[in-house]
């Protein structure tokens, strides 16, 4: 064996030199790496954003699915349309209408979850080094996609009313002076993941105006929009600027994530390119998944189911906030009006990422705020707590366990000094009285 082959043979990965440059940026997200630990029954997981499916009519769904397979199995189990099942594309605008969003079935493209839609858009628009604007913090799954395509993610400050228009304007102007190419602004305007805040109605036209003036496409990711705890909805950016926004939706939060069905509504030219890119990657979205969801929408009271989800998640939000009041008054947090998450600010000097192993040892899990910033350069002073999956009694116990870890770290901080230096980047969690 030659010396060169011996060197390659001794490597953990003998194909290391063969990968494309973008492959070297692939990293397991902080949330995914937690799943193996957080799924242990003795651990209270306040980490994953898994919907609670216990209230779904599973027996009736099983019977209806069996009937669907008997009736339409020959089509449902076959290859399908690259743009999506026509019947489902007719039903999706009915769902969007609940938020006052007009949509034409022809402009809908069905995707393998909204995650695939983010991937397609990034593939279509991003060359290495191009800029993507995003909120600070933002959804960790999208950050992983942006990193894969070697985008330069520039994050923009948010507060209790969502992204700050002045900060967006200043960031765009700075990048333009530097000669940088900004391809799109990715945002989660409703019940934000992870910050839990909602972009105010007053700011929405201002965000549209800024992006339109600077010719920046908006990608509006809206998986939680129908989960306002009082049934409230907000004016979609897509409604304000149909030709300047790509809108993303998902059945994962309002029905079930296992089907992996989402959708995008895009201007016609973008829609056609998205369709071609999707066909090149997967041929077509899951036909049986689409048939199953279409069957559900046709035969079940899905609107009432969404109302039940709202009430259930509101109860869990209330349990989370009550537990934080009781056990963690040394912290700050927002009180979300919908969605799945509370964004908790730690006392000065504590480090959420450094503290996580000690929390898991104490049988509670969360996601460090670092997961939601590009490069993990900020967010150590925050953690995301998810209230969507555990029962209220588990939420209270999880926060109690977490408070023990925070209090121990505070004691160490008083003795030995801070374990981290707070970064000025990103957003501070709004205090309860600011919401």
């Amino acid at each position: 064996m030659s010396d060169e082959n011996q060197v390659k043979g001794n490597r953990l990965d003998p194909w290391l030199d063969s990968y494309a440059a973008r492959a070297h940026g692939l990293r397991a997200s902080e949330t995914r790496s937690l799943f193996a630990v957080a799924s242990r029954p003795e651990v209270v997981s306040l980490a994953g954003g898994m919907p609670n499916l216990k209230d779904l009519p599973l027996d009736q769904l099983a019977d209806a699915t069996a009937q669907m397979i008997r009736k339409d199995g020959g089509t449902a189990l076959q290859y399908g349309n690259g743009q999506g099942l026509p019947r489902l594309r007719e039903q999706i605008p009915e769902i969007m209408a609940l938020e006052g969003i007009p949509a034409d079935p022809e402009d809908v493209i069905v995707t393998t979850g909204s995650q695939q839609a983010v991937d397609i858009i990034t593939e279509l628009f991003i060359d290495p080094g191009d800029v993507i604007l995003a909120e600070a913090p933002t959804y960790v799954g999208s950050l992983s996609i942006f990193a894969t395509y070697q985008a330069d993610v520039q994050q923009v400050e948010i507060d209790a009313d969502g992204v700050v228009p002045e900060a967006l304007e200043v960031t765009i102007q700075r990048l333009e002076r530097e000669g940088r190419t900004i391809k799109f602004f990715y945002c989660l305007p409703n019940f934000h993941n992870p910050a839990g805040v909602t972009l105010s109605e007053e700011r929405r036209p201002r965000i549209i105006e800024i992006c339109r003036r600077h010719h920046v496409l908006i990608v509006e990711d809206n998986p939680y929009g129908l989960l306002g705890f009082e049934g409230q909805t907000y004016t979609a950016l897509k409604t304000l600027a149909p030709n300047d926004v790509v809108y993303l939706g998902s059945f994962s939060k309002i029905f079930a994530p296992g089907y992996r069905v989402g959708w995008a509504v895009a201007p016609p030219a973008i829609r056609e390119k998205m369709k071609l890119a999707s066909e090149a990657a997967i041929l077509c979205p899951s036909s049986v998944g689409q048939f199953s969801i279409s069957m559900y929408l046709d035969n079940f009271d899905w609107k009432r189911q969404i109302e039940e989800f709202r009430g259930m998640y509101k109860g869990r939000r209330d349990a989370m906030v009550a537990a934080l009041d009781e056990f963690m008054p040394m912290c700050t947090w927002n009180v979300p009006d919908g969605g799945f998450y509370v964004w908790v600010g730690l006392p000065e000097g504590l480090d959420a990422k450094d503290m996580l192993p000690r929390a898991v040892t104490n049988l509670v899990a969360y996601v460090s705020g670092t997961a939601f910033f590009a490069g993990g350069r900020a967010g150590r002073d925050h953690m995301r707590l998810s209230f969507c999956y555990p029962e209220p009694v588990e939420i209270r116990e999880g926060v109690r366990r977490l408070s023990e870890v925070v209090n121990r770290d505070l004691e160490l901080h008083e003795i030995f000094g801070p374990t981290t230096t707070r970064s000025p980047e990103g957003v501070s969690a709004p205090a309860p009285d600011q919401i």
Side-chain angles (χ1 to χ4, degrees):
M1 180 182 291
S2 69
D3 291 342
E4 180 181 357
N5 286 336
Q6 284 181 337
V7 170
K8 289 185 177 181
N10 288 332
R11 284 181 179 171
L12 183 63
D13 183 357
W15 303 105
L16 184 63
D17 295 335
S18 300
Y19 292 127
R22 62 181 173 273
H24 295 288
L26 292 173
R27 297 287 187 275
S29 76
E30 294 189 34
T31 52
R32 293 293 177 192
S33 60
L34 275 173
F35 279 178
V37 172
S39 62
R40 287 160 39 194
E42 67 272 21
V43 175
V44 176
S45 176
L46 306 177
M50 296 183 296
N52 190 294
L53 307 181
K54 296 174 184 175
D55 293 335
L56 284 176
L58 297 181
D59 289 339
Q60 296 95 311
L61 281 170
D63 293 340
T65 301
Q67 183 177 348
M68 181 272 292
I69 293 293
R70 285 192 292 268
K71 177 175 177 288
D72 296 312
T75 305
L77 300 176
Q78 189 54 270
Y79 291 117
N81 186 311
Q83 189 170 342
L85 181 69
R87 174 58 185 151
L88 183 58
R89 288 193 285 112
E90 292 172 356
Q91 293 166 306
I92 285 172
E94 298 174 16
I95 298 170
M96 296 176 64
L98 297 181
E99 296 182 75
I101 308 170
D104 189 313
E106 275 304 307
D107 291 330
V108 174
I109 177 169
V110 178
T111 57
T112 304
S114 60
Q115 185 94 349
Q116 191 211 6
V118 176
D119 185 273
I120 293 171
I121 293 164
T122 309
E123 176 190 0
L124 291 177
F125 282 93
I126 295 300
D127 291 315
D130 286 345
V131 173
I132 294 173
L133 299 175
E135 295 144 319
T138 193
Y139 170 50
V140 60
S142 292
L143 283 177
S144 297
I145 292 170
F146 301 156
T148 299
Y149 287 97
Q150 300 171 282
D152 178 7
V153 180
Q154 298 280 324
Q155 293 185 260
V156 181
E157 176 190 359
I158 67 175
D159 61 18
D161 292 317
V163 66
V164 178
E166 295 78 10
L168 179 63
E169 179 86 68
V170 166
T171 301
I172 292 174
Q173 290 175 345
R174 172 179 60 80
L175 291 164
E176 288 178 339
R177 288 195 302 271
E178 295 172 0
R180 306 296 305 281
T181 302
I182 305 170
K183 289 299 183 67
F184 59 81
F185 171 44
Y186 171 80
C187 63
L188 298 102
N190 301 321
F191 318 126
H192 188 275
N193 178 7
V197 300
T198 294
L199 181 62
S200 69
E201 289 283 2
E202 293 75 20
R203 286 185 179 179
R204 293 178 186 236
R206 296 173 63 191
I207 298 302
I208 291 291
E209 189 276 329
I210 291 168
C211 289
R212 180 178 281 159
R213 179 157 38 87
H214 292 278
H215 193 59
V216 175
L217 179 71
I218 296 174
V219 178
E220 179 180 17
D221 198 355
N222 187 35
Y224 306 98
L226 289 174
L227 295 180
F229 297 144
E230 305 300 331
Q232 76 277 28
T233 59
Y234 299 89
T235 305
L237 301 177
K238 181 67 174 177
T239 300
L240 297 174
N243 295 319
D244 302 303
V245 177
V246 177
Y247 175 95
L248 309 183
S250 174
F251 288 101
S252 293
K253 308 302 187 292
I254 60 172
F255 182 30
Y259 288 111
R260 304 308 304 129
V261 175
W263 71 88
V265 180
I270 296 177
R271 178 203 68 214
E272 286 304 305
K273 289 191 179 297
M274 290 184 69
K275 176 184 174 182
L276 294 173
S278 179
E279 289 175 341
I282 63 169
L283 294 181
C284 64
S286 164
S287 294
V288 72
Q290 292 179 83
F291 267 87
S292 297
I293 288 179
S294 181
M295 172 272 298
Y296 170 71
L297 296 174
D298 272 335
N299 298 293
F300 288 79
D301 190 351
W302 57 270
K303 293 180 183 178
R304 185 180 62 81
Q305 184 67 66
I306 290 174
E307 291 176 1
E308 291 182 2
F309 281 152
R310 289 171 180 155
M312 179 263 294
Y313 290 132
K314 180 182 179 182
R316 291 167 191 232
R317 185 278 313 267
D318 291 345
M320 174 74 76
V321 172
L324 289 169
D325 279 330
E326 180 180 359
F327 295 113
M328 294 177 58
M330 75 292 287
C331 297
T332 60
W333 57 87
N334 63 313
V335 181
D337 295 323
F340 286 4
Y341 309 108
V342 174
W343 185 236
V344 176
L346 291 171
E348 186 73 31
L350 299 196
D351 185 327
K353 189 168 186 176
D354 178 68
M355 191 170 67
L356 183 55
R358 294 186 288 281
V360 173
T361 299
N362 209 44
L363 302 181
V364 61
Y366 60 85
V367 182
S368 167
T370 54
F372 307 100
F373 292 86
R377 295 186 296 268
R380 287 182 175 271
D381 53 355
H382 281 80
M383 60 178 71
R384 188 192 75 178
L385 302 184
S386 302
F387 52 80
C388 46
Y389 191 75
E391 297 289 344
V393 66
E394 295 174 311
I395 291 172
R396 184 178 184 277
E397 175 61 16
V399 174
R400 187 196 66 77
R401 295 177 186 178
L402 183 57
S403 71
E404 293 179 342
V405 181
V406 173
N407 282 321
R408 282 199 296 266
D409 273 33
L410 273 175
E411 292 174 2
L412 291 172
H413 168 62
E414 291 174 2
I415 297 171
F416 299 107
T419 58
T420 185
T421 301
R422 287 188 179 227
S423 169
E425 299 179 63
V427 57
S428 296
D433 61 356
Q434 293 178 304
I435 299 297

